[in-house]
Amino acid sequence: MTSSAAALTISPKDGATDVATSGALKVAVAQGTLSAVKVTDHDGKEVAGTLTPDGASWTPARHLDTGTTYSVTALAKDAKGLEAAGTATFTTLTPANTFSATDNITDNATYGVGMIVSVTFTKPVKDTKAVERAITFDTNPPVEVKGHWFGNQRLDFRPQDYWKPGTKVTVKYRLDGVQASPGVYSTFTKDEPFQIGRSQISTADAVGLQMKVERDGQALRSLPITTGAPEFASWSGTMVISEMARVTRMNSATVGLGAEYDIADVPHAIRLTTSGTFLHGNYWADSFGKSNTSHGCVGLRDVKGGSDTSDAGWFYNQSLIGDVVKIVNSQGGLVKPDNGLSGWNLPWTTW
């Protein structure tokens, strides 16, 4: 019986252990072309791969998972069509040093059209490209979603423009096997579905002292407001609702303003920035539509204890996390893109 001249090589070798999750797996042939390569994990799930145009080698399309046994079966043919076969089984490394990720998404929740997915990593990331490639977005209708790094432990994602109302999104984490920095791997894999609700965009005018609320492009209501006093001017720019609380304590010491205020029961508190900008109910002042008297927040008329029929209560009940709030005509300077979910202030080319 004539044997094939095709010489198959499978790396790593059969029985190998502690195999690297990237760069180690390769199937190649000399004096022939690969006709089939199949790599499966212990659950039978197949690993996608890429065959070179000349059919001489195959490599996986993505990194492998940690602590996983893989089986390789390969077939090749020589110039006469005679077939050669090869098999191997190997196991990837189990890392001693790991990192993981958390984000601001709740499974199956509904968010506003300005929602930015913000991912925080438990350890600094050196290979940012590898980590970013391992987080993908499935969207319906389709839309391109890109990431932007703020430092080496925060990665935010958004589309070029606000999401279309009704968009269904699934964030797919395939970080298992990704090496963030030398010797530091993730074992994290998860799918997180959410959806985009209606469009609500509100514009707070620090000069006109009104906030216009638009729903799906139509004017919904205009509310009298107060914004930051001259010495505490509100940030300007596009912000996104990131948290909501029917009542919260606000203490100026927590935002670097000393003993300016300490209010135990601020009603209808809607967070706009990490640094402490809120849109909230105010029962202790009567400057709405008249003058700017706050310490940087946007204040709406309310009563002690909060009322659903007050301006603040109405707006709170109309709002979703992910809704857009713009502050215009303020002297406070443009909000930084990493201050809360303010990444819409970065142009897409920079993002």
Side-chain angles (χ1 to χ4, degrees):
M1 182 177 179
T2 304
S3 60
S4 174
L8 271 169
T9 302
I10 299 175
S11 299
K13 294 182 179 180
D14 185 42
T17 58
D18 204 33
V19 173
T21 54
S22 295
L25 175 57
K26 182 179 180 181
V27 180
V29 63
Q31 301 182 59
T33 56
L34 292 168
S35 54
V37 176
K38 186 176 183 179
V39 181
T40 56
D41 65 14
H42 49 246
D43 294 323
K45 184 179 178 181
E46 193 165 345
V47 175
T50 302
L51 186 67
T52 56
D54 61 3
S57 67
W58 179 98
T59 51
R62 58 180 291 272
H63 61 276
L64 304 177
D65 293 343
T66 57
T68 301
T69 299
Y70 290 93
S71 298
V72 184
T73 302
L75 297 174
K77 292 181 180 180
D78 65 12
K80 295 181 180 180
L82 296 175
E83 197 166 64
T87 60
T89 299
F90 65 91
T91 303
T92 54
L93 59 84
T94 298
N97 198 354
T98 62
F99 77 99
S100 191
T102 57
D103 64 24
N104 57 338
I105 296 298
T106 300
D107 285 0
N108 301 308
T110 299
Y111 297 104
V113 296
M115 189 60 181
I116 290 177
V117 178
S118 186
V119 185
T120 301
F121 301 98
T122 55
K123 293 181 180 176
V125 175
K126 185 174 181 180
D127 193 345
T128 55
K129 291 183 178 179
V131 169
E132 190 171 343
R133 282 195 302 267
I135 305 173
T136 60
F137 284 70
D138 281 355
T139 63
N140 184 19
V143 62
E144 182 182 21
V145 180
K146 286 187 176 181
H148 183 87
W149 287 89
F150 295 108
N152 58 11
Q153 287 186 252
R154 175 178 169 181
L155 175 60
D156 284 10
F157 290 91
R158 69 169 176 89
Q160 181 173 359
D161 302 307
Y162 299 143
W163 300 93
K164 290 184 178 179
T167 300
K168 297 185 182 300
V169 186
T170 300
V171 190
K172 294 190 171 184
Y173 291 93
R174 298 296 182 266
L175 288 164
D176 191 354
V178 173
Q179 188 174 200
S181 56
V184 182
Y185 292 82
S186 180
T187 60
F188 184 65
T189 297
K190 186 179 182 181
D191 289 353
E192 290 188 340
F194 67 94
Q195 62 184 1
I196 303 299
R198 77 292 175 275
S199 171
Q200 182 166 296
I201 299 173
S202 303
T203 304
D205 188 340
V207 172
L209 296 172
Q210 294 286 318
M211 183 172 73
K212 295 180 180 178
V213 184
E214 293 185 329
R215 174 75 59 82
D216 296 323
Q218 302 296 315
L220 196 61
R221 194 167 170 182
S222 184
L223 304 170
I225 60 171
T226 183
T227 67
E231 64 272 32
F232 302 110
S234 302
W235 294 116
S236 64
T238 300
M239 301 165 219
V240 173
I241 295 175
S242 59
E243 297 176 20
M244 298 174 64
R246 289 197 172 273
V247 63
T248 193
R249 178 183 178 184
M250 290 188 180
N251 188 320
S252 55
T254 64
V255 291
L257 294 179
E260 286 284 331
Y261 57 86
D262 186 3
I263 305 170
D265 57 350
V266 178
H268 299 121
I270 296 174
R271 181 181 287 276
L272 300 180
T273 70
T274 306
S275 64
T277 307
F278 280 78
L279 194 158
H280 62 78
N282 182 321
Y283 63 80
W284 54 89
D286 189 23
S287 53
F288 315 105
K290 302 174 185 177
S291 60
N292 288 317
T293 59
S294 84
H295 289 81
C297 292
V298 178
L300 291 169
R301 186 177 285 112
D302 210 335
V303 298
K304 191 174 179 62
S307 168
D308 284 346
T309 60
S310 68
D311 287 351
W314 175 87
F315 185 77
Y316 186 96
N317 291 327
Q318 296 295 321
S319 297
L320 292 173
I321 290 175
D323 281 349
V324 176
V325 177
K326 299 178 181 180
I327 300 179
V328 299
N329 297 324
S330 176
Q331 301 302 309
L334 182 65
V335 64
K336 291 184 178 180
D338 62 345
N339 191 355
L341 304 179
S342 300
W344 296 105
N345 295 286
L346 271 183
W348 185 242
T349 52
T350 303
W351 188 267

